[in-house]
Amino acid sequence: MNNLDRSWMYKRLDGRGGLYSRFVTGVDEFIQFACSQPNRMSGDKVRCPCAKYQNYKFMDVETVKCHLYQSEFIENYFIWKHQGERDDISETSYGNALHGGGQPICEENPYRQIILDVAGPNFSQGSSWQSYSNSEPESSHPFQHSMEEDPNPVSKKFYDLLDAADAELYPSSSLSQLVVVSRMLNIKMNNNMSQRGYNQIMQLLKESLPEDNIVLDNYYQTKKLVRSLGLPVEKIDYCESGCMLYWGDDDEHLTSCKFCSKPRYKRCVVSRPSNPKHKIDVYLQPLIKELTLLWETGVEAFDISKRQNFQLRAALMWTISDFPVYSMLSGWSTVGKLACPYCMEETQCFRLQHGRKQSWFDCHRMFLDQHHPFRRDQKNFLKGQTVRRPPPTNRTGEEILDQICIKNVAELDAEQVNKIIFLT
C-alpha cells in the first residue's frame, strides 16, 4: 500500500476545526476492513489504533470511531497490520513457500497470533529473527553489521515458536505443527485422555501422513514444544506456621523449620489457606530476589532492530493494593489511631463517644489550599471549627524505613519484633 493513498489518516481537521469528509469516510473504510478480519477481533471488538491506545486495547467500533475522530491514528500506521493487513514488501522478505509469490497472505494462523500478542504490538511480523534481518536497520554507524549477534538462548526459544507456528506439517499441508499439537492437547484435556492413548493416536497420525511429516508422536515432545508458551512454575515448600521457606542455598534441603522445629510441610507456596499478615515477607523472598537481580545485574535480552543481545534491567516502581494489603507490604499498621499513612503521628482523628471507633471526619481540610473557603466553614464540617494548620510534611524513604524498623524475616527474632510493629 502506497503511503500517499492513506495520507488522509493524518489530515483530520480542516481550517475551521471540523473533520475532513475524506477522513470520516477513511475511518469507515478502516472499520469495515477491521470487521472483515474475525481472527484479529475479540468478539465484536477491534483493536483501537488511536494515538492514545495504539492498538493495545479491543473496543467496539463506535468507540474506535470516536477515538479516531478525537485524536487520529497512531503515527505512521499506514499498514493496518494489527487488524490483519499484510505488507507486501515485508511478506516477500520472509516469504512462505506454501503461499509463494509476493502476494499478501489473507489466511490467518490464530496460534501464531497468540505468540505475537504476547510479544506486543510493535513486534515485527517476520517469522524468525533471521527474516527480520533481511531489511536494513535504520543506522548510520559504518560498523554496525560487524557487531550483529545471534539471539541468546531464551530469546531464540521465542523465535523457534514462531517457526513452529508457520512450519508445515508436511509439504503443501494447510496445517502447521503448532496448530496440530495445540488442537490435540485440547482434545486430550476435553476427553480426559490418558498419556498412553494420546501417544497411540499421534503415532497413528504420523504413520498415516507422508513420510516427511513433522508430527510429534509422543506427549513428551508435545509438552516440550509448547512449554515456552507458559510461565515457568517453581514449587516451594514452606513451614506449616509460615516461619520460613525451604528455599535458597542454605534452607532448601532442611527437613524441619529452623525457627519452630516443626517438620517440613510439603505444599505449594500459593496454597496457604490463611492470611500471612506480618509474615508476608517470608513469601515475598523469591520475588525480592528476582527483582534485585533485574535491577543490579539484569537479564540478557535480544534487540531485534539492532540484532544484538543486551543486558535488560527493570525496576518495580510502585504497587497498588487495598489498605489491609498496603499494611502487610509497607509495614505500616492501618488500624487504630495511627492508621493514616500520610498523617501518621500528626493525625487529627478522634474516638467516637458511643461507637467506640476512630473517626477521621474533617481531617481532610488541612490538605486544601490555605485560602480555600472550606477551611473557614464552621457549619458543614465540625461545628464552630476552622482549619489553619498545613498538611503533614512528606517524609523521605529513609525516614519512613527508620520509623518502621522491620527486621529481616530470616533473623531469628524477626517474628516477635515485626508482630509488635504491626499491632502498634
Side-chain angles (χ1 to χ4, degrees):
M1 170 64 68
N2 190 326
N3 289 355
L4 294 178
D5 296 340
R6 289 182 177 164
S7 59
W8 57 265
M9 294 172 62
Y10 305 98
K11 295 179 180 178
R12 184 170 59 97
L13 301 178
D14 57 25
R16 298 173 299 173
L19 294 172
Y20 278 115
S21 58
R22 179 66 186 97
F23 183 84
V24 175
T25 57
V27 169
D28 290 338
E29 292 170 4
F30 166 80
I31 294 296
Q32 184 178 4
F33 174 81
C35 292
S36 69
Q37 306 293 320
N39 288 328
R40 292 298 183 95
M41 300 174 64
S42 176
D44 58 352
K45 297 181 179 180
V46 300
R47 290 186 185 271
C48 182
C50 72
K52 179 180 179 180
Y53 289 102
Q54 302 183 10
N55 286 305
Y56 281 100
K57 295 188 69 174
F58 287 94
M59 299 181 177
D60 62 84
V61 294
E62 293 303 321
T63 302
V64 172
K65 280 186 180 182
C66 182
H67 287 185
L68 293 176
Y69 291 159
Q70 292 175 347
S71 59
E72 69 182 22
F73 287 82
I74 184 176
E75 186 178 358
N76 294 324
Y77 192 57
F78 294 103
I79 306 299
W80 302 334
K81 60 181 181 180
H82 298 292
Q83 286 72 31
E85 188 174 41
R86 300 295 183 126
D87 184 352
D88 292 358
I89 297 176
S90 63
E91 286 295 331
T92 55
S93 69
Y94 68 85
N96 188 313
L98 173 63
H99 298 279
Q103 302 303 317
I105 302 173
C106 298
E107 215 172 301
E108 286 295 331
N109 183 343
Y111 297 90
R112 186 176 193 277
Q113 187 58 39
I114 291 174
I115 301 171
L116 291 175
D117 285 344
V118 172
N122 296 321
F123 188 78
S124 167
Q125 292 291 312
S127 61
S128 67
W129 72 272
Q130 295 99 329
S131 307
Y132 185 93
S133 65
N134 288 341
S135 58
E136 291 294 325
E138 295 180 2
S139 175
S140 58
H141 197 292
F143 303 107
Q144 179 164 353
H145 291 288
S146 64
M147 297 186 291
E148 292 177 6
E149 302 173 322
D150 290 347
N152 60 77
V154 175
S155 298
K156 192 173 185 303
K157 284 183 179 180
F158 175 79
Y159 295 107
D160 289 343
L161 273 176
L162 285 179
D163 289 336
D166 287 334
E168 298 174 356
L169 202 60
Y170 57 87
S172 301
S173 171
S174 61
L175 298 177
S176 71
Q177 184 186 57
L178 187 59
V179 169
V180 171
V181 297
S182 300
R183 290 175 62 178
M184 282 302 302
L185 286 175
N186 189 48
I187 292 172
K188 180 182 184 301
M189 178 187 68
N190 291 339
N191 296 278
N192 198 22
M193 186 186 300
S194 67
Q195 182 174 327
R196 180 182 178 185
Y198 179 91
N199 291 344
Q200 291 175 348
I201 291 177
M202 296 304 291
Q203 289 166 5
L204 176 61
L205 178 61
K206 187 172 183 65
E207 293 172 4
S208 63
L209 295 176
E211 293 184 359
D212 52 354
N213 71 78
I214 55 173
V215 172
L216 301 177
D217 59 358
N218 61 75
Y219 186 62
Y220 172 77
Q221 292 295 335
T222 300
K223 286 200 302 181
K224 191 175 179 180
L225 174 65
V226 300
R227 188 172 294 154
S228 299
L229 283 173
L231 296 174
V233 176
E234 179 184 2
K235 292 185 178 181
I236 302 174
D237 294 341
Y238 63 89
C239 171
E240 182 177 4
S241 300
C243 304
M244 61 168 285
L245 299 180
Y246 294 97
W247 171 84
D249 296 335
D250 297 332
D251 301 334
E252 185 176 1
H253 302 293
L254 295 178
T255 57
S256 61
C257 178
K258 63 183 182 182
F259 296 98
C260 67
S261 300
K262 288 185 178 180
R264 187 163 181 166
Y265 188 48
K266 295 184 176 292
R267 290 182 67 179
C268 179
V269 67
V270 297
S271 300
R272 183 173 176 83
S274 59
N275 189 332
K277 297 183 180 178
H278 60 280
K279 296 182 179 180
I280 184 67
D281 283 353
V282 172
Y283 302 97
L284 292 178
Q285 288 179 90
L287 174 62
I288 293 171
K289 181 179 180 180
E290 192 165 302
L291 289 173
T292 304
L293 171 67
L294 286 172
W295 177 247
E296 295 182 350
T297 306
V299 293
E300 191 176 28
F302 185 66
D303 186 337
I304 196 170
S305 64
K306 295 182 179 179
R307 301 192 285 282
Q308 294 176 356
N309 293 295
F310 70 100
Q311 204 70 8
L312 174 68
R313 298 175 186 269
L316 176 63
M317 298 181 64
W318 56 71
T319 62
I320 300 175
S321 54
D322 59 13
F323 238 38
V325 176
Y326 177 90
S327 171
M328 289 189 290
L329 292 176
S330 68
W332 184 265
S333 176
T334 55
V335 296
K337 185 176 181 180
L338 302 180
C340 178
Y342 294 97
C343 299
M344 298 184 174
E345 67 276 1
E346 298 180 45
T347 181
Q348 300 295 303
C349 76
F350 56 91
R351 187 176 180 85
L352 297 175
Q353 182 178 357
H354 301 291
R356 299 180 180 179
K357 299 285 186 180
Q358 300 291 340
S359 174
W360 283 264
F361 175 75
D362 201 23
C363 290
H364 65 286
R365 282 198 284 172
M366 62 181 173
F367 292 94
L368 298 175
D369 183 82
Q370 285 292 337
H371 303 290
H372 199 286
F374 283 2
R375 281 181 170 267
R376 303 186 299 273
D377 192 332
Q378 301 183 38
K379 178 181 178 181
N380 296 305
F381 300 97
L382 287 179
K383 302 301 181 182
Q385 292 192 18
T386 60
V387 177
R388 296 181 180 179
R389 61 161 291 178
T393 57
N394 291 328
R395 291 168 170 79
T396 65
E398 290 77 9
E399 291 174 335
I400 294 174
L401 285 176
D402 289 341
Q403 194 170 17
I404 295 175
C405 299
I406 291 180
K407 301 200 70 172
N408 189 303
V409 293
E411 299 179 31
L412 291 177
D413 61 343
E415 180 178 356
Q416 289 75 19
V417 173
N418 294 346
K419 190 172 184 180
I420 293 172
I421 294 173
F422 275 86
L423 293 177
T424 301

